[in-house]
Amino acid sequence: MALGEFELIERFFKRPARPAASGVALGVGDDCALLQPAPGTQVAISCDMLVEGRHFFPDVDPVSLGHKALAVNLSDLAACGTKPLAFTLALALPEANEAWLDGFSRGLFALADAHRCELIGGDTTQGPRNICITVFGEVPVLEGRSLALLRSGAEAGDDIYVSGTVGDARLALDALNGRLDVPAAVLAQARLRLELPAPRVALGLALRGVASAAIDVSDGLLGDLGHVLKASNCGATIDTSIAIELLAACHPSGNAHAADRLQLSHAQRLGYVLAGGDDYELLFTAPSTLRAAVQAAAQTSGTPVTRIGRIEAEPGLRLVDAHGKPVSGRFASFDHFA
Amino acid sequence: MALGEFELIERFFKRPARPAASGVALGVGDDCALLQPAPGTQVAISCDMLVEGRHFFPDVDPVSLGHKALAVNLSDLAACGTKPLAFTLALALPEANEAWLDGFSRGLFALADAHRCELIGGDTTQGPRNICITVFGEVPVLEGRSLALLRSGAEAGDDIYVSGTVGDARLALDALNGRLDVPAAVLAQARLRLELPAPRVALGLALRGVASAAIDVSDGLLGDLGHVLKASNCGATIDTSIAIELLAACHPSGNAHAADRLQLSHAQRLGYVLAGGDDYELLFTAPSTLRAAVQAAAQTSGTPVTRIGRIEAEPGLRLVDAHGKPVSGRFASFDHFA
């Protein structure tokens, strides 16, 4: 059955009328959507494009893909400490496959509903599979100052934290690409990190007024930390003896035996943590005087955080062991045209 | 030379610091951009995706393509009577070709600057060529009522207008695809309509408070009128004897001889006007009591408009000749999955 563009939108992306989402004055169906931001707020905007073969496998479960396409965008809102409001979806598809569309839209809307984030417009067209989402959030301005968390606010002496665990998404990718042998039970868990990342929206909101700078870990921990250091004009030291523990695959959850069979060298393990990418955890800095506030934000949002280093005035990024001795190693981050 | 993602953005899409654009609190370079809408306004949002081979030829001039990618989005803002503020750009490219990027960014920024519309963020990735722009505009709310022009406001008795000329973009496409023989001088002009459409932003702004409904002609005049009729729950009659004059290719501008050699049947000519698509003119309705105001808006904005029909309570779309007699004919509009 050939499905036309308008019918496709009608069937899979137009939803039953519901109470108007806060901030959305007009949704899908006209030339533009209309957002009505609350007085005293700014609109935060971010945009990510996912390409088949580059960001996802052609045969990935469409439910997971719908989830992930929105999750990576919500993660950018989280990194700025903004509350999700709405999003647009532009979709190029080789064909109007109903089973695929059904799964994709279910995964997408499940996450959207969980964050009360409304689909307000977009575009559909025929072409190589490509998913482009632009997401909108709201952040208050207090006494002329935006509460948005930016990359540029880190200062010498600040602690460096990362939420959750990192490196497992890349480990799963390498396993699926046949570049690494990973026990099935470990892969199953790591794959969830690759395919169903959980954007740290609640943590981002809880860190408003606490974190001095924040970014989400999409390109890899060191690469993304580099963006913070550049924007904040400072340097950092990372304690690799703490960071290396952040690869969840090495921490058996109910299956110690499987994790034992995961054969990773120290350098491989550290490489996944420091340069893995696709994790969508938050990397953030906060003054050391606010350690209790950081822990409170972590508890409020139900998100574990780990202190892995410190911001310093001296430019550059230094890796040290538990005794403060320099660790060498190159951990390149992901670059889409490298 | 291999160009990395960040270097690509730095070289082609990051611009010298300039006076902060009105409404933009934070532009390119963080996880989110921040828009600060003026008090008492709404943010209008629209999104279009252009795919190589579907919306543009692989060998199209990149300067034109940069222009068109933004133009089709500004056209949606125009149709809602909103003032352009900013846009995001997501770009998938098979390779980082510097000559192509140079041309594309020049075409894009020339039009952006003409409309004071700021690039505030986006994404770049490797993949089949795909350009996704999301554009943001501002529209006032007066006494609780948005001044945005919507599709849903047409009422029985309203006049129907279209701006400029329509059909030439599709005529150029057919000529370039070898489906129609068009004299070179005529094709040169028609091709400008296909490749360098001018979004009718000034007309859209001038029509605030005058037009009862509006849409931009992207899928074809009848198809887009159909969206207005559906949203407004009414019908319409179009005078084909007036509409048929709207194909510019049939009106010699400095080259009567070339236009004479354009051999089109009456049905073909009417077909281009009514179902051409890709024109980016405004189709709008206004109460017949406001004809002088419509003409004033046309003059103020320097945009010719033509009255081509009337909205009626009776559902359906009727085509008539100069004597009011029914004209038959099927003029299907463009559907991306048909």
Side-chain angles (χ1 to χ4, degrees):
Chain A
M1 172 187 159
L3 204 59
E5 179 181 8
F6 300 115
E7 192 187 343
L8 185 161
I9 294 170
E10 192 74 33
R11 275 195 49 194
F12 295 104
F13 297 107
K14 204 163 171 180
R15 313 187 69 193
R18 357 190 272 155
S22 135
V24 178
L26 182 71
V28 176
D30 215 293
D31 290 279
C32 293
L34 296 172
L35 276 191
Q36 178 78 68
T41 64
Q42 292 176 329
V43 180
I45 297 168
S46 187
C47 170
D48 270 298
M49 180 177 261
L50 272 62
V51 175
E52 180 170 289
R54 185 91 193 162
H55 301 92
F56 57 91
F57 293 104
D59 62 350
V60 70
D61 171 24
V63 180
S64 302
L65 187 58
H67 171 100
K68 182 164 178 174
L70 182 59
V72 302
N73 279 282
L74 290 176
S75 179
D76 285 313
L77 290 187
C80 285
T82 60
K83 192 181 86 173
L85 283 181
F87 67 105
T88 57
L89 166 69
L91 198 54
L93 299 172
E95 59 184 351
N97 179 317
E98 297 183 48
W100 190 93
L101 280 161
D102 179 63
F104 180 83
S105 59
R106 277 191 291 121
L108 181 81
F109 285 128
L111 186 65
D113 289 348
H115 290 278
R116 305 174 69 89
C117 191
E118 198 82 3
L119 177 65
I120 56 168
D123 196 9
T124 57
T125 183
Q126 197 186 50
R129 208 179 304 269
N130 183 310
I131 304 157
C132 184
I133 287 182
T134 306
V135 75
F136 311 102
E138 190 177 80
V139 63
V141 178
L142 279 188
E143 293 167 9
R145 193 166 164 275
S146 173
L147 291 192
L149 305 177
L150 303 183
R151 299 177 179 182
S152 51
E155 292 191 8
D158 284 359
D159 295 321
I160 301 172
Y161 296 86
V162 65
S163 66
T165 57
V166 293
D168 295 273
R170 181 57 178 269
L171 180 127
L173 185 66
D174 282 354
L176 293 170
N177 276 329
R179 285 197 293 261
L180 185 75
D181 189 30
V182 176
V186 174
L187 177 57
Q189 286 188 26
R191 192 170 180 166
L192 287 177
R193 294 304 309 272
L194 179 67
E195 296 182 352
L196 288 174
R200 298 301 196 181
V201 172
L203 177 63
L205 292 175
L207 287 173
R208 281 179 186 168
V210 175
S212 51
I215 190 169
D216 71 327
V217 182
S218 54
D219 294 334
L221 200 155
L222 292 193
D224 289 314
L225 176 57
H227 296 314
V228 171
L229 299 183
K230 190 177 171 195
S232 298
N233 196 25
C234 54
T237 290
I238 297 294
D239 184 337
T240 58
S241 72
I242 298 174
I244 201 168
E245 298 298 326
L246 293 172
L247 188 70
C250 295
H251 298 281
S253 97
N255 198 330
H257 184 59
D260 285 346
R261 282 190 287 121
L262 177 64
Q263 310 256 321
L264 288 182
S265 69
H266 183 274
Q268 276 180 306
R269 192 172 162 185
L270 196 55
Y272 280 117
V273 169
L274 297 181
D278 236 9
D279 296 303
Y280 305 103
E281 294 291 351
L282 295 192
L283 176 70
F284 61 97
T285 62
S288 57
T289 51
L290 293 182
R291 285 184 186 172
V294 169
Q295 290 309 321
Q299 284 216 321
T300 307
S301 62
T303 314
V305 304
T306 306
R307 182 156 50 86
I308 58 167
R310 177 182 287 254
I311 296 291
E312 291 156 349
E314 189 190 342
L317 184 52
R318 290 159 290 278
L319 303 179
V320 299
D321 65 16
H323 310 291
K325 286 194 180 154
V327 169
S328 65
R330 289 197 59 203
F331 304 97
S333 261
F334 194 58
D335 184 319
H336 284 291
F337 287 96
Chain B
M1 170 188 159
L3 204 59
E5 179 181 7
F6 300 116
E7 193 187 344
L8 185 160
I9 293 170
E10 192 75 32
R11 275 195 48 195
F12 296 104
F13 296 108
K14 204 161 173 183
R15 312 188 71 193
R18 355 189 274 158
S22 134
V24 178
L26 182 72
V28 175
D30 214 295
D31 289 280
C32 292
L34 295 172
L35 276 190
Q36 178 77 69
T41 64
Q42 292 176 330
V43 179
I45 297 168
S46 187
C47 170
D48 269 299
M49 180 176 263
L50 272 63
V51 176
E52 181 171 285
R54 185 89 192 164
H55 301 93
F56 57 90
F57 293 104
D59 62 350
V60 70
D61 171 24
V63 180
S64 301
L65 186 59
H67 171 101
K68 183 165 178 174
L70 182 58
V72 303
N73 280 283
L74 291 176
S75 179
D76 285 314
L77 290 187
C80 285
T82 60
K83 191 182 86 173
L85 283 182
F87 67 105
T88 58
L89 165 69
L91 197 55
L93 299 173
E95 56 183 353
N97 178 317
E98 297 184 45
W100 190 93
L101 281 161
D102 179 63
F104 180 83
S105 60
R106 277 192 291 121
L108 180 82
F109 284 128
L111 185 66
D113 289 348
H115 290 279
R116 305 174 68 88
C117 191
E118 199 83 2
L119 177 64
I120 56 168
D123 196 10
T124 56
T125 183
Q126 197 187 48
R129 207 179 304 270
N130 183 309
I131 304 158
C132 184
I133 287 182
T134 306
V135 75
F136 311 102
E138 189 178 82
V139 63
V141 179
L142 279 188
E143 293 166 6
R145 193 167 163 273
S146 172
L147 291 192
L149 305 176
L150 303 182
R151 299 178 179 182
S152 52
E155 293 193 6
D158 284 359
D159 296 320
I160 302 171
Y161 296 85
V162 65
S163 66
T165 57
V166 293
D168 295 273
R170 181 58 177 268
L171 180 129
L173 185 65
D174 283 354
L176 293 171
N177 276 329
R179 285 197 295 261
L180 185 73
D181 189 31
V182 176
V186 174
L187 177 57
Q189 287 189 26
R191 193 170 178 166
L192 287 177
R193 293 305 307 275
L194 179 67
E195 296 182 351
L196 289 174
R200 297 303 196 180
V201 173
L203 178 63
L205 292 175
L207 287 173
R208 281 179 186 170
V210 175
S212 51
I215 191 171
D216 73 325
V217 182
S218 54
D219 294 334
L221 200 154
L222 293 192
D224 289 314
L225 177 57
H227 296 314
V228 171
L229 300 182
K230 189 178 173 195
S232 299
N233 196 25
C234 55
T237 291
I238 298 292
D239 184 336
T240 58
S241 72
I242 298 174
I244 200 168
E245 298 298 326
L246 292 173
L247 189 69
C250 294
H251 298 282
S253 97
N255 198 330
H257 184 59
D260 284 347
R261 281 189 288 121
L262 176 64
Q263 310 256 322
L264 289 181
S265 70
H266 183 274
Q268 276 181 305
R269 192 172 162 185
L270 197 55
Y272 281 117
V273 169
L274 298 181
D278 236 9
D279 297 303
Y280 304 103
E281 294 292 350
L282 294 191
L283 177 70
F284 62 96
T285 62
S288 57
T289 51
L290 293 182
R291 285 183 186 172
V294 169
Q295 289 309 318
Q299 285 215 320
T300 307
S301 61
T303 315
V305 305
T306 305
R307 181 156 51 87
I308 59 166
R310 178 182 286 256
I311 296 292
E312 291 156 347
E314 190 191 340
L317 183 52
R318 290 157 290 279
L319 303 179
V320 299
D321 65 15
H323 311 290
K325 285 192 180 155
V327 169
S328 65
R330 289 197 60 203
F331 303 97
S333 261
F334 194 58
D335 184 319
H336 284 289
F337 288 96

